[in-house]
Every structure is written in C-alpha cells, then in structure tokens.
Amino acid sequence: DLNRHMNNARYLELGYELLPEGFAPTGVRVEYKTAARQGATLHTLCPEDGPRHLVPLNDAAGKAYPVMEFSP
C-alpha cells in the first residue's frame, strides 16, 4: 500500500506455504499485531497445537506481525 505495508492476503499466502504437506485447513483465524513494512525480514516457527496449526510471523527480535491459526 502507500505506507509500504505488507498486504494482508500475502500474510495468508505465506502461512499456507508453511503448513505441513497434506494438511487442508477448513478454517483460518488471523490476529494482526504489527504491520510489516517493505524490506522487513519475517521469521517463523510452526508449532502444532493438537489438530490445529499456529503460524506466527515475527521480526528478528521475536515481535509478532500476525499470528495465524489454521484449523482442520
């Protein structure tokens, strides 16, 4: 956008790319914490929490941009 923020749809695209192969989510919840700006480096961990998958995208210091939850 004009403020050089990452598009919300792009966060979801990245989240889907990080899901385990064969996992087909039927629901998604996104909690936006901070907007990532152009040139930001995103880091992630993909811990599983039972049948759902949490995908946080963080900066190098661990501050969250969005946290996405994909449900089966």
Side-chain angles (χ1 to χ4, degrees):
D1 65 15
L2 295 175
N3 294 318
R4 298 182 182 222
H5 294 139
M6 181 180 236
N7 183 286
N8 291 345
R10 184 67 183 126
Y11 288 122
L12 285 172
E13 289 174 0
L14 290 172
Y16 278 109
E17 290 175 13
L18 296 167
L19 292 174
E21 189 172 325
F23 181 76
T26 60
V28 64
R29 182 179 68 84
V30 182
E31 188 175 328
Y32 296 99
K33 304 285 191 173
T34 303
R37 294 191 180 268
Q38 184 176 356
T41 301
L42 305 177
H43 301 267
T44 187
L45 296 173
C46 294
E48 289 188 36
D49 185 15
R52 54 191 181 115
H53 294 270
L54 298 176
V55 181
L57 295 176
N58 304 329
D59 65 11
K63 184 178 177 183
Y65 291 116
V67 176
M68 295 168 279
E69 177 184 342
F70 295 91
S71 305

